[in-house]
């Protein structure tokens, strides 16, 4: 485990890639949604509210209504959703995003 | 007679009631008076003289009645004596009838006069049999008491009449009541009218109106109460009518005369009725989409942890991959190291032999059916096809490392008829050309080559030495030539040309030279730089001696280029089958050169034979003056040495990659096109139509590159076809493609067999004669 020591150093590195935590979407849909979320979050990196509304609108347009989106640095959720429409991911190292349809 | 008593009562009662009805006095106490002598009272409305007479008459009647009674009593006594007690009981007289003493049982004696006396009978309204002197024993007083009641009437049915005598008091009372009722009706009508008027008044007057209404209601109530009082005075009969009058509207309606009253209980107006549509609601519900539930929590710590976990997983995967790579590398190194060590080992050598035998055995089992076909199968269909034959595909040779690398040349070993060598090289020179393989296959082992030699450059041609068949020379793409000895364990390279003598371009063709003047073995090579070189195999080196350099003729180029000698680009080299000094070279410009090894600076002639590259020149194996060329301009031509015009031209619809005369017949020639189609012509059978035209390359994008006949001829009628995919296909010629020339009859009779070679020659000569004739004629005419 000589590799363990250098691995300890880059702990300071902030990971900003989108990390999917939970999803039951189909692969195509998921990729599209992730792309959409990434663009929205990058566009409104300081305003989560606008990002969420953008995500929601675009999802509604692409996959039909009615989508819900949460963007935030700290929140909890307890939701019921239509199967195969949930995507819960982290992005930018400090933002959690949850989208679902219901 | 006592039985009739009761009936008599009934008859009495009826006349009583009838007059009561007439006088509207049904329950009058005078009823009793009807039977009493005070009948006067009844009759005595007006006390007239007639009445007095009537009374007198009545008295007479009464007297008679009394007499009659007495007599009847006597008769009754007699009869009762005869009657038993039971009878009396049966007749309902058991109770209080006092029977007369039985002493007086002797019947009264009547005189004749008495008997003859007529008795007048008359119907009376009273009951003559009624007991008037009935007694009851009073236990208290201990004596009989007379029953006062003298009527035993029973009321069975009673009804009040609807007619009143107009002069009666009742009628008067009624008249008074009606008058009062009329007054009330008028009052109520007035009230109703007022109410209606008020209802029509405006909204702001409602309050006042309502007050008035209440007042009016009070008035109404008062009147009603008054009505009730009066009705109670009048009697029971008035109440029913009053009850009906209490609702105001009813009273109002009843007041209007001549109006048709409406039956309020079963009323309908036809004109209004239509069929009412019945509306119904119907609905369905779809199943809801499946849903599920999820919970989660987001915070900076959670996000950080997840990222860390994911990053660690990625790192781990990377590490694994790296380790796997390292292991692979180690393994590779191991292999490369181990291999030479083992091969040098004598034990390994022996084992290799054993394994080789085993391999042969396995292949023999696996490919037994192909071997059988090769040896014995003759297509029975050829009996029915007169001018056609087929090719039967047998083994397919593949060498895994050369998959996708083109077969550049295939050559049979001259000594071992089942052995052939193949060179692999990439024909597309734009690509990396560092792969070249020489492999020697045997038909006995189609799965793996007997010898393999890898080169660092593409191998383009090879040749086996005709006598020392274990020597193989190879021409490479980098311009070098190499000689291998198959007798050495690994088919080691014995000689390889050095850089200073190398060709400056690809070596397109190599050929062993059977020059017995040389003490050493020697071979020729034709390179892309226009040079033809001779190589001598010395003790430990390869001696290079240039023979000739071929230039393009000036006339072929435009006159603008002054004194520039352009080198031709040889692509193929062929020796004359009889004269080892003479050879022929084909070039990429479509020309052929006939040269002699003894004269380095000059050549016999050169000739433009094709518009594009000449891929191959093949001498006829029986008549060396006849040769064939294959060109990239889709044509295959047959020439006669020294004749500028081709004898035959075949257009094969694709670039002709290779051509070869059959070793067994003077008239059979085979060509192969890039599309993978083999054309075999038997000039003796048909000069114009191919005896066989068959696709032999499987893959669509692969092109065929070379073709060769097995030199064994009739013993092994096989051809090999190589393609750009690295596959060599073995094909067996069907009997129609290898016909032997017939012995002439005359000779047969003489039983002298002519040599087959001579027959073959004569066969071709015969054909040539027909072709030459018109040409000669033409020449003579000119």
């Amino acid at each position: 485990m000589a590799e363990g020591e250098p691995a300890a150093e880059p702990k300071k590195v902030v990971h900003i890639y989108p990390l999917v935590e939970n999803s039951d979407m189909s692969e195509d849909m998921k990729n599209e949604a992730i792309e959409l979320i990434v663009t929205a979050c990058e566009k409104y990196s300081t305003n989560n509210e606008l990002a969420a509304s953008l995500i929601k609108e675009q999802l509604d347009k692409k996959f039909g209504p009615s989508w819900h989106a949460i963007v935030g640095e700290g929140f909890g959720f307890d939701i019921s959703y239509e199967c195969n429409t949930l995507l819960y991911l982290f992005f930018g190292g400090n933002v959690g995003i949850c989208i679902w349809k219901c | 007679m006592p039985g009739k008593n009761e009936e008599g009562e009934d008859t009495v009662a009826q006349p009583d009631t009838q007059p009561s009805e007439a006088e509207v006095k049904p329950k009058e106490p005078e009823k009793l008076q009807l039977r009493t002598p005070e009948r006067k009272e009844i009759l005595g409305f007006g006390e007239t003289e007639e009445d007095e007479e009537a009374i007198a008459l009545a008295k007479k009647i009464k007297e008679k009645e009394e007499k009659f009674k007495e007599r009847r009593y006597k008769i009754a006594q007699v009869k009762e004596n005869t009657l038993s007690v039971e009878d009396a009981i049966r007749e309902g007289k058991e109770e209080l009838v006092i029977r007369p003493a039985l002493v007086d049982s002797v019947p009264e004696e009547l005189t004749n006069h008495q008997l003859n006396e007529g008795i007048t009978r008359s119907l009376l309204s009273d009951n003559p049999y009624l007991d008037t002197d009935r007694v009851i024993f009073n236990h208290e007083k201990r004596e009989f008491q007379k029953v006062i009641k003298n009527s035993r009437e029973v009321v069975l049915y009673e009804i009040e009449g609807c007619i009143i005598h107009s002069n009666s008091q009742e009628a008067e009372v009624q008249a008074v009541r009606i008058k009062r009722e009329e007054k009330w009706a008028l009052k109520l009508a007035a009230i109703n009218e007022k109410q209606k008027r008020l209802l029509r008044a405006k909204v702001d007057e409602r309050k006042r109106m309502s007050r008035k209404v209440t007042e009016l209601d009070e008035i109404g109530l008062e009147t009603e109460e008054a009505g009730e009082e009066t009705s109670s005075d009048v009697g029971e009969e008035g109440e029913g009518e009053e009850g009906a009058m209490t609702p105001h509207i009813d009273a109002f309606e009843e007041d209007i005369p001549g109006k048709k009253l409406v039956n309020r209980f079963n009323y309908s107006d036809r004109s209004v009725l239509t069929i009412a549509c019945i509306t119904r609601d119907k609905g369905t519900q779809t199943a809801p989409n499946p849903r599920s539930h999820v919970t989660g929590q987001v915070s900076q710590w959670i996000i950080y942890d997840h990222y860390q976990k994911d990053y660690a997983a990625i790192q781990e995967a990377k590490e694994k991959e790296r380790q796997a790579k390292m292991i692979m590398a180690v393994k590779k190194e191991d292999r490369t190291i181990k291999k030479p060590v083992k091969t040098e080992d004598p034990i390994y050598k022996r084992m290799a032999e054993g394994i080789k035998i085993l391999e042969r055995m396995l292949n023999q089992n696996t490919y037994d059916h192909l071997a059988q076909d090769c040896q014995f199968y003759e297509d029975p269909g050829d009996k029915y096809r007169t001018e056609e034959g087929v090719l039967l595909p047998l083994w397919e040779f593949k060498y895994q490392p050369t998959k996708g690398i083109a077969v550049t040349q295939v050559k049979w070993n001259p000594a071992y008829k089942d052995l052939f060598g193949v060179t692999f090289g990439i024909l597309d020179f734009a690509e990396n050309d560092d792969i070249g393989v020489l492999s020697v296959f045997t038909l006995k082992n189609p799965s793996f080559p007997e010898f393999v030699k890898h080169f660092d450059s593409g191998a383009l041609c090879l040749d086996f030495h005709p006598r020392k068949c274990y020597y193989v020379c190879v021409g490479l793409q980098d311009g070098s030539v190499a000689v291998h000895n198959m007798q050495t364990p690994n088919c080691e390279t014995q000689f390889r040309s050095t850089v200073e003598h190398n060709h400056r371009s690809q070596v397109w063709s190599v050929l062993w030279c059977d020059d017995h003047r040389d003490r050493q073995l020697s071979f020729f090579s034709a390179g892309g730089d226009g040079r033809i070189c001779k190589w001598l195999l010395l003790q430990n080196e390869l001696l290079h001696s240039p023979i000739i350099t071929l230039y393009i003729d000036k006339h072929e180029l435009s006159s603008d280029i002054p004194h520039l000698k352009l080198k031709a680009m040889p692509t193929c080299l062929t020796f004359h089958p009889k004269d080892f000094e003479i050879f022929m070279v084909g070039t990429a410009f479509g020309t052929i050169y006939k040269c002699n090894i003894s004269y380095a600076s000059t050549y016999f002639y050169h000739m433009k034979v094709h518009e594009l590259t000449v891929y191959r020149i093949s001498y006829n194996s029986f008549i060396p003056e006849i040769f064939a060329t294959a060109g990239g301009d889709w044509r295959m031509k047959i020439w006669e040495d020294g004749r500028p015009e081709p004898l035959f031209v075949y257009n094969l619809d694709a670039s002709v990659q290779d051509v070869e005369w059959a070793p067994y017949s003077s008239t059979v020639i085979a060509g192969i096109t890039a599309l993978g189609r083999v054309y075999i012509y038997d000039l003796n059978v048909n000069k114009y139509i191919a005896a066989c035209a068959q696709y032999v390359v499987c893959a669509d994008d692969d092109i065929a590159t070379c073709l060769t006949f097995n030199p064994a001829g009739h013993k092994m009628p096989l051809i090999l076809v190589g393609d750009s995919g690295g596959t060599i296909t073995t094909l067996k010629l069907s009997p129609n493609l290898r016909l032997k020339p017939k012995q002439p009859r005359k000779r047969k009779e003489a039983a002298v067999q002519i040599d087959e070679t001579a027959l073959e020659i004569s066969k071709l000569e015969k054909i040539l004669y027909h072709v030459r004739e018109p040409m000669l004629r033409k020449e003579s005419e000119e």
Side-chain angles (χ1 to χ4, degrees):
Chain A
M1 291 303 290
E3 310 300 319
E5 286 166 23
E9 282 175 29
K11 266 190 179 174
K12 289 164 192 171
V13 174
V14 180
H15 304 293
I16 56 157
Y17 60 88
L19 171 61
V20 177
E21 178 56 23
N22 186 4
S23 173
D24 60 352
M25 284 182 179
S26 61
E27 205 57 36
D28 291 348
M29 193 180 180
K30 189 163 82 182
N31 291 337
E32 209 164 320
I34 289 168
E35 202 173 299
L36 199 146
I37 287 163
V38 167
T39 40
C41 286
E42 278 171 355
K43 192 176 177 186
Y44 299 111
S45 54
T46 52
N47 192 337
N48 289 339
E49 207 175 319
L50 283 173
S53 72
L54 181 65
I55 291 164
K56 187 235 170 347
E57 278 165 19
Q58 292 201 348
L59 284 170
D60 278 352
K61 236 183 255 174
K62 272 189 179 167
F63 305 113
S66 50
W67 284 84
H68 308 271
I70 308 173
V71 180
E73 293 180 7
F75 59 88
F77 57 90
D78 184 342
I79 52 166
S80 54
Y81 62 97
E82 227 170 77
C83 284
N84 304 322
T85 60
L86 176 78
L87 177 61
Y88 171 35
L89 78 162
F90 302 126
F91 177 69
N94 64 339
V95 183
I97 296 135
C98 183
I99 60 166
W100 75 98
K101 190 181 179 180
C102 192
Chain B
M1 282 171 66
K4 286 178 184 174
N5 211 1
E6 288 178 356
E7 289 172 14
E9 277 179 7
D10 286 348
T11 51
V12 172
Q14 276 175 349
D16 282 351
T17 53
Q18 276 168 356
S20 73
E21 280 173 5
E23 292 177 347
V24 200
K25 283 183 181 174
K27 287 175 181 178
E28 295 291 356
E30 284 93 340
K31 232 180 180 180
L32 290 166
Q33 287 172 358
L34 275 172
R35 243 172 277 139
T36 53
E38 287 92 328
R39 204 176 271 182
K40 287 176 195 169
E41 287 177 23
I42 307 165
L43 303 167
F45 278 109
E47 289 164 4
T48 55
E49 290 174 1
E50 290 173 14
D51 290 343
E52 286 177 356
E53 283 176 24
I55 291 161
L57 191 75
K59 275 179 183 174
K60 273 186 187 174
I61 295 164
K62 207 165 188 189
E63 281 171 7
K64 277 188 182 175
E65 270 181 65
E66 278 168 2
K67 278 183 189 172
F68 177 69
K69 269 182 191 174
E70 281 174 6
R71 208 169 55 193
R72 196 182 56 183
Y73 181 64
K74 284 174 188 171
I75 296 162
Q77 275 183 328
V78 174
K79 278 207 170 179
E80 278 172 8
N81 287 336
T82 57
L83 282 168
S84 65
V85 180
E86 286 88 6
D87 287 340
I89 291 163
R90 201 196 314 143
E91 292 186 15
K93 280 189 169 183
E94 79 288 353
E95 32 172 5
L96 298 165
V97 175
I98 299 157
R99 284 170 191 167
L102 293 168
V103 185
D104 217 14
S105 62
V106 182
E108 190 186 357
E109 283 184 12
L110 293 172
T111 59
N112 286 338
H113 177 72
Q114 275 178 319
L115 287 167
N116 293 332
E117 195 180 359
I119 297 164
T120 55
R121 286 191 170 189
S122 61
L123 285 169
L124 292 170
S125 62
D126 62 339
N127 188 1
Y129 306 109
L130 191 70
D131 299 324
T132 50
D133 42 12
R134 193 172 283 194
V135 287
I136 293 170
F137 184 79
N138 192 333
H139 291 275
E140 201 179 334
K141 293 176 182 177
R142 292 183 174 274
E143 62 174 16
F144 285 100
Q145 281 186 335
K146 199 176 182 184
V147 177
I148 296 156
K149 193 187 173 188
N150 52 5
S151 167
R152 290 165 74 185
E153 61 183 0
V154 176
V155 178
L156 295 172
Y157 179 68
E158 199 176 68
I159 192 164
E160 283 178 350
C162 57
I163 303 159
I164 305 169
H165 198 281
S166 58
N167 294 332
S168 68
Q169 196 192 351
E170 202 179 6
E172 281 172 24
V173 172
Q174 194 172 305
V176 171
R177 198 190 67 209
I178 288 165
K179 274 182 186 175
R180 207 188 289 166
E181 279 169 6
E182 277 173 358
K183 274 181 190 174
W184 298 338
L186 285 168
K187 270 185 186 175
L188 285 165
I191 290 159
N192 280 332
E193 272 178 31
K194 271 184 186 177
Q195 275 182 336
K196 280 178 182 174
R197 241 177 282 142
L198 288 164
L199 282 165
R200 271 180 236 121
K202 289 176 184 176
V203 180
D204 49 12
E205 287 175 345
R206 267 182 187 172
K207 281 181 182 177
R208 207 156 25 102
M209 195 181 69
S210 65
R211 216 185 305 144
K212 273 183 184 176
V213 170
T214 48
E215 282 170 19
L216 289 167
D217 285 346
E218 280 167 21
I219 294 159
L221 282 167
E222 280 169 19
T223 53
E224 277 176 12
E225 281 164 18
E228 275 170 16
E229 282 166 23
T230 49
S231 69
S232 61
D233 288 344
V234 169
E236 294 171 7
E237 289 147 316
E239 281 182 5
E241 291 172 17
E242 235 185 71
M245 277 172 68
T246 39
H248 298 226
I249 301 157
D250 289 0
F252 178 69
E253 280 176 353
E254 279 168 8
D255 272 2
I256 300 159
K259 190 189 173 181
K260 197 183 175 187
L261 295 181
V262 176
N263 181 357
R264 251 174 277 123
F265 303 101
N266 188 18
Y267 169 71
S268 62
D269 195 345
R270 272 192 192 176
S271 60
V272 176
L273 274 180
T274 55
I275 297 164
C277 290
I278 301 159
T279 55
R280 287 192 189 86
D281 286 338
K282 207 174 181 184
T284 53
Q285 207 167 13
T286 55
N289 288 341
R291 293 196 173 181
S292 66
H293 199 81
V294 73
T295 56
Q297 201 145 18
V298 179
S299 71
Q300 293 303 302
W301 300 276
I302 291 166
I303 294 171
Y304 181 80
D305 287 348
H306 277 293
Y307 269 112
Q308 286 304 315
K309 210 190 278 174
D310 190 56
Y311 184 71
I314 289 166
Q315 290 297 319
E316 208 168 293
K318 272 184 185 171
E319 195 137 306
K320 269 187 184 172
E321 211 170 282
R322 204 187 306 157
Q323 279 178 354
K325 268 184 187 174
M326 278 172 75
I327 289 160
M328 287 288 282
V330 168
K331 275 183 182 171
K332 272 183 184 172
E333 280 169 21
D334 284 356
R335 266 186 212 165
T336 46
I337 293 159
K338 277 173 188 171
K339 236 183 177 175
V341 171
K342 272 197 172 178
T343 45
E344 282 167 14
D345 196 353
I347 299 164
Y348 174 80
K349 242 184 180 177
R350 283 197 63 189
M351 201 164 102
E353 275 173 26
I355 288 166
K356 206 158 200 172
I357 290 163
L358 205 65
E359 192 188 20
R360 283 277 174 91
M361 284 161 74
L362 283 171
N363 279 309
Q364 200 178 337
N365 284 336
T366 313
Y367 298 101
D368 182 50
H369 59 289
L370 292 178
Q372 296 287 341
D373 281 351
C374 174
Q375 204 63 37
F376 304 111
Y377 180 80
E378 303 293 359
D379 197 330
D382 272 19
K383 286 174 192 170
Y384 310 105
R385 292 186 289 256
T386 48
E387 294 186 0
E388 282 174 52
V390 288
L391 297 168
L392 173 71
L394 296 171
W395 300 277
E396 248 185 23
F397 296 88
K398 274 177 187 168
Y399 177 46
Q400 200 54 38
T402 62
K403 198 181 176 186
I405 302 170
V407 176
T408 48
Q409 194 166 19
V410 184
K411 268 220 171 125
W412 288 97
N413 189 293
Y416 301 97
K417 303 303 180 193
D418 62 329
L419 205 68
F420 63 92
V422 186
T423 49
F424 297 94
I426 294 167
L427 285 174
D428 186 0
F429 302 119
E431 279 183 43
N432 195 2
D433 59 346
D434 61 354
I435 301 168
V437 178
L438 161 74
S439 54
V440 179
F441 287 96
T442 168
L443 296 180
K444 288 165 185 164
N445 184 4
S447 51
F448 203 79
E450 289 291 297
F451 302 99
V452 183
K453 194 69 207 170
H454 288 262
F455 298 102
D456 49 5
S457 179
L460 295 178
C461 50
L462 83 161
D463 194 25
F464 290 102
H465 195 276
R467 282 178 284 112
K468 296 187 174 178
C469 58
Y470 45 88
Y471 277 117
V472 192
C473 62
V474 182
L476 299 172
Q477 204 162 330
D478 62 357
S480 62
V481 289
V483 178
H484 294 266
N485 188 349
M486 289 198 291
Q487 282 182 325
T488 55
N490 286 312
C491 188
E492 276 167 27
T493 313
Q494 284 211 326
F495 304 96
R496 177 117 189 215
S497 61
T498 51
V499 178
E500 65 252 39
H501 304 304
N502 273 356
H503 284 283
R504 307 288 177 260
S505 184
Q506 301 95 334
V507 178
W508 281 112
S509 193
V510 286
L511 271 180
W512 286 102
C513 168
D514 198 12
D515 189 353
H516 42 74
R517 290 174 299 184
D518 292 326
R519 290 178 132 195
Q520 313 293 335
L521 298 176
S522 63
F523 67 94
F524 282 75
S525 67
D529 57 353
R531 289 195 299 163
I532 311 292
C533 295
K534 186 181 181 184
W535 306 84
L536 272 170
L537 277 68
L538 298 181
Q539 193 75 37
N540 47 11
E541 64 164 335
L542 206 58
L543 187 69
H544 166 260
S545 56
I547 300 293
I548 194 169
T549 307
L550 300 172
Y551 294 97
I552 297 167
D553 194 42
K554 277 180 194 172
H555 303 295
E556 290 173 31
L557 299 164
S558 61
S559 54
D560 296 348
I561 304 159
H563 302 292
L564 242 173
K565 277 196 165 183
L566 285 178
K567 286 168 184 168
M569 193 178 157
T571 51
C572 54
L573 189 69
T574 313
F575 274 105
H576 196 280
K578 300 276 163 66
D579 191 347
F580 63 90
E581 281 193 329
I582 295 166
F583 63 92
M584 210 173 263
V585 183
T587 68
F589 302 101
T591 49
I592 52 165
Y593 295 80
K594 190 183 177 186
C595 313
N596 192 310
I597 51 170
S598 308
Y599 306 97
S601 55
T602 180
Y603 41 83
F604 291 114
Y605 63 85
H606 75 277
M607 190 163 60
K608 181 98 178 163
V609 293
H610 286 286
E611 297 303 318
L612 294 171
T613 316
V614 179
Y615 283 117
R616 193 77 70 200
I617 302 164
S618 176
Y619 275 103
N620 190 291
S621 33
F622 294 93
I623 303 174
E625 280 74 39
I626 305 297
F627 63 90
T629 57
D633 58 351
W634 296 15
R635 287 190 176 84
M636 182 173 87
K637 295 179 181 178
I638 297 171
W639 305 83
E640 189 177 16
D641 203 354
R643 192 183 289 274
E645 299 286 324
L647 297 173
F648 299 98
V649 178
Y650 299 102
N651 192 334
L652 303 184
D653 294 340
S655 172
V656 185
Q657 297 288 322
D658 206 344
V659 68
E660 192 168 298
W661 286 96
Y664 55 85
S665 171
S666 61
T667 55
V668 174
I669 184 166
I672 189 157
T673 63
L675 295 177
R677 202 168 187 190
V678 174
Y679 290 85
I680 297 174
Y681 288 90
D682 193 341
L683 304 179
N684 194 31
V685 176
N686 196 322
K687 290 191 276 280
Y688 310 106
I689 297 164
C692 173
Q694 194 171 330
Y695 285 105
V696 294
V697 176
C698 304
D700 293 336
D701 49 348
D702 285 346
I703 59 165
T705 50
C706 52
L707 169 142
T708 180
F709 279 96
N710 190 300
H714 285 297
K715 284 179 185 169
M716 284 188 86
L718 295 174
I719 57 166
L720 290 174
V721 174
D723 64 39
S724 62
T727 313
I728 303 108
T729 315
T730 320
L731 299 147
K732 188 179 178 178
L733 301 157
S734 72
N736 274 3
L737 300 175
R738 46 191 166 89
L739 295 169
K740 286 182 181 177
K742 286 171 187 170
Q743 294 278 351
R745 279 181 188 173
K746 282 180 186 174
R747 304 277 177 175
K748 252 187 182 173
E749 283 165 10
V752 177
Q753 286 275 332
I754 299 173
D755 184 23
E756 273 191 17
T757 320
L759 275 173
E760 290 288 349
I761 292 163
S762 67
K763 182 170 78 177
L764 184 57
E765 287 288 358
K766 212 183 276 172
I767 294 156
L768 291 174
Y769 175 77
H770 290 297
V771 184
R772 281 171 189 154
E773 195 91 316
M775 288 184 180
L776 288 168
R777 265 186 217 150
K778 265 186 194 172
E779 282 168 15
S780 62
E781 280 170 10
E782 282 167 4

